[in-house]
Amino acid sequence: MIHIFREKGQKPIFFVTFAIFFLLSLFWLQRRHDLSVPYTDQIISKAVTQTSNGDRQTALPRSKQTELPAASIEALQNETLGFEKVYVINLPKRTDKLDAVRLAASVTGFNLEVIPGQLGAEMSPKALPGVSLVEVPFKEGEMRDNIIGCWRSHMQSAHNIVNNRLSSALIFEDDADWDVSFRSQLLNFAIGSQWLLNTPAGHTPHSPYGDDWDLLWLGHCALAPIQTDPRRVLLENDPSTTPFNHRFNLGTIPDMTHYDNTTRIMYATNGGTCLYAYALSYRGAQKILFHLSMSYYHRPVDFGIREMCEDGSRNFRCIGVFPQLVDSHRGAGSSSKDSDISHGEEQVRKKGFSYNIVRSTRLNVGHLIDGDVDAVESQWPGEVPELAGDVKISFRETFQD
């Protein structure tokens, strides 16, 4: 230990030095915290308020249970969005996609861990599920190899959850994009999922999204409701909802003609198409590995997960939202960079775009880095109404769609 003294005969100034060092450390930690607060939090500052007695609650009109427990709100504000881990699947050669998705996550305030994408052409046929060699129906050659690589990459995500005994993880594909209000959207989603999972009022579940779920399907290109479960959660007055004429999907979706242009709905789903973003619980990851890796299977991975959701005998519980919270981004430049599975006719874009996202984080990342939230732009200016008040959440025992 180093002791610091003044001139001989004077008292040591060790404690004075220590006090100065301590105060400087506190200042630095506070400054570091200020720098780490995502700029998007300024956009969603109304999502959480203080009540008169100091308890934190959602600033939403109460309709049944629209208040989350304080522990759930705290979990949703962490750097993994209320999950134990957040993963992104990325082929090592696609450093461009990894840079972009990391940057988007950084301005939204969450951490990503990389799941290295697999190349189907490098896989041993003996590693594939089933009894036949590399039999992917209606696909062959490079397309078949890419589908196999995509399947294994998603299996690796489930494998990591099981291997590390994670309670849950959120998994993104590396071309995913989301609205700048993503954290606020997740808070509203958590309220809805807790209700759909029958969370008792006053009870704090282990996950802020509720307990007893296997998969939360946040990012997709189509997602159908289970017709045997008529319950719906309505997220009304939501300015991040994609306008009707800009919704692009590739499969069965709910009939939204009964709802206005600024309403999302949540429901138990029997599955969908595309895996831009989804969460798995530990139990859900176990079931994925069993049914889609250990058992006979030879179709694209999103088809398999859809079958998991719709097959009641597998007891695989899926919760979804429409319009989706996450979709895919198509960057500026050559369209040949878009997908690592399929290759369409090459075009050159002067500006990128994202499907079904109103205020794209990727398209606004420059403004968010600069902290200029007033400059954040909609993809469809003038077509998304300026809404007063907060998102209104209500619960329906029967559905209209």
Side-chain angles (χ1 to χ4, degrees):
M1 180 180 291
I2 298 175
H3 295 274
I4 304 175
F5 292 87
R6 295 184 182 181
E7 296 180 4
K8 185 177 181 180
Q10 292 186 328
K11 294 182 178 180
I13 61 170
F14 171 77
F15 292 108
V16 175
T17 305
F18 176 79
I20 294 172
F21 175 78
F22 179 74
L23 291 172
L24 288 173
S25 298
L26 287 177
F27 173 80
W28 167 245
L29 288 173
Q30 180 61 43
R31 175 60 176 163
R32 183 180 179 187
H33 171 75
D34 292 341
L35 290 171
S36 68
V37 172
Y39 300 119
T40 49
D41 280 0
Q42 300 176 45
I43 297 172
I44 63 170
S45 59
K46 290 185 179 181
V48 177
T49 58
Q50 294 290 127
T51 61
S52 58
N53 63 1
D55 293 332
R56 302 169 79 182
Q57 66 177 24
T58 55
L60 302 168
R62 184 173 182 84
S63 175
K64 295 189 178 178
Q65 188 182 355
T66 59
E67 295 180 2
L68 285 175
S72 294
I73 295 177
E74 183 177 0
L76 290 165
Q77 293 175 328
N78 68 21
E79 292 186 339
T80 51
L81 304 174
F83 305 97
E84 197 163 348
K85 294 280 187 182
V86 181
Y87 289 129
V88 60
I89 297 172
N90 170 256
L91 282 172
K93 66 180 181 180
R94 293 305 304 267
T95 55
D96 56 323
K97 286 190 171 184
L98 184 58
D99 287 346
V101 73
R102 277 206 186 278
L103 193 56
S106 73
V107 297
T108 313
F110 65 90
N111 294 331
L112 288 170
E113 292 190 18
V114 176
I115 300 288
Q118 306 293 308
L119 295 174
E122 297 179 358
M123 290 189 61
S124 167
K126 294 182 179 181
L128 301 174
V131 296
S132 62
L133 296 178
V134 200
E135 181 190 358
V136 177
F138 66 81
K139 303 293 181 184
E140 59 183 3
E142 182 185 6
M143 174 71 83
R144 183 194 64 186
D145 289 339
N146 292 342
I147 289 174
I148 291 170
C150 180
W151 161 80
R152 184 58 224 173
S153 300
H154 285 276
M155 291 305 98
Q156 195 61 42
S157 301
H159 172 96
N160 278 24
I161 293 170
V162 173
N163 184 56
N164 295 300
R165 301 194 67 81
L166 303 179
S167 60
S168 65
L170 177 60
I171 301 154
F172 287 100
E173 294 186 330
D174 60 7
D175 57 352
D177 193 15
W178 49 86
D179 197 271
V180 296
S181 62
F182 188 48
R183 281 184 170 271
S184 180
Q185 291 176 330
L186 288 179
L187 186 146
N188 295 332
F189 183 92
I191 293 171
S193 60
Q194 286 200 21
W195 182 76
L196 288 168
L197 293 164
N198 302 312
T199 305
H203 172 71
T204 301
H206 294 94
S207 165
Y209 300 96
D211 294 330
D212 199 32
W213 55 270
D214 293 297
L215 183 142
L216 306 176
W217 212 320
L218 304 177
H220 51 81
C221 54
L223 197 68
I226 292 178
Q227 294 303 312
T228 55
D229 187 344
R231 297 173 303 153
R232 298 291 184 268
V233 178
L234 273 59
L235 309 175
E236 300 174 281
N237 199 50
D238 183 353
S240 70
T241 305
T242 312
F244 282 121
N245 58 323
H246 291 291
R247 296 176 186 177
F248 178 80
N249 293 278
L250 300 172
T252 304
I253 59 174
D255 179 4
M256 299 295 288
T257 56
H258 301 285
Y259 309 106
D260 66 25
N261 209 26
T262 60
T263 297
R264 272 191 168 87
I265 63 172
M266 292 179 59
Y267 44 87
T269 175
N270 64 3
T273 310
C274 305
L275 295 169
Y276 302 128
Y278 62 100
L280 287 176
S281 66
Y282 179 78
R283 184 188 64 185
Q286 287 179 312
K287 293 178 182 179
I288 290 284
L289 287 179
F290 174 67
H291 288 286
L292 302 186
S293 183
M294 283 184 63
S295 305
Y296 177 75
Y297 182 75
H298 59 105
R299 303 185 71 197
V301 63
D302 55 339
F303 289 15
I305 292 180
R306 179 177 67 201
E307 292 167 7
M308 294 280 294
C309 294
E310 68 185 359
D311 185 350
S313 67
R314 296 182 180 182
N315 192 29
F316 193 73
R317 196 168 190 180
C318 307
I319 302 294
V321 58
F322 186 85
Q324 49 271 67
L325 302 185
V326 180
D327 212 301
S328 61
H329 179 72
R330 300 292 183 254
S334 172
S335 62
S336 65
K337 303 192 304 179
D338 292 348
S339 175
D340 295 308
I341 296 180
S342 61
H343 309 287
E345 181 180 351
E346 184 173 2
Q347 300 176 342
V348 176
R349 303 187 195 95
K350 293 184 178 179
K351 183 179 180 180
F353 70 94
S354 294
Y355 293 108
N356 300 308
I357 305 298
V358 175
R359 295 173 298 175
S360 158
T361 297
R362 294 198 186 212
L363 294 177
N364 284 290
V365 73
H367 300 313
L368 297 173
I369 290 172
D370 292 338
D372 190 0
V373 296
D374 292 331
V376 167
E377 299 174 323
S378 165
Q379 288 202 89
W380 308 290
E383 297 184 51
V384 179
E386 294 291 332
L387 300 177
D390 300 303
V391 175
K392 178 184 176 182
I393 301 182
S394 58
F395 307 91
R396 304 287 173 86
E397 299 288 349
T398 58
F399 63 88
Q400 292 178 292
D401 50 286

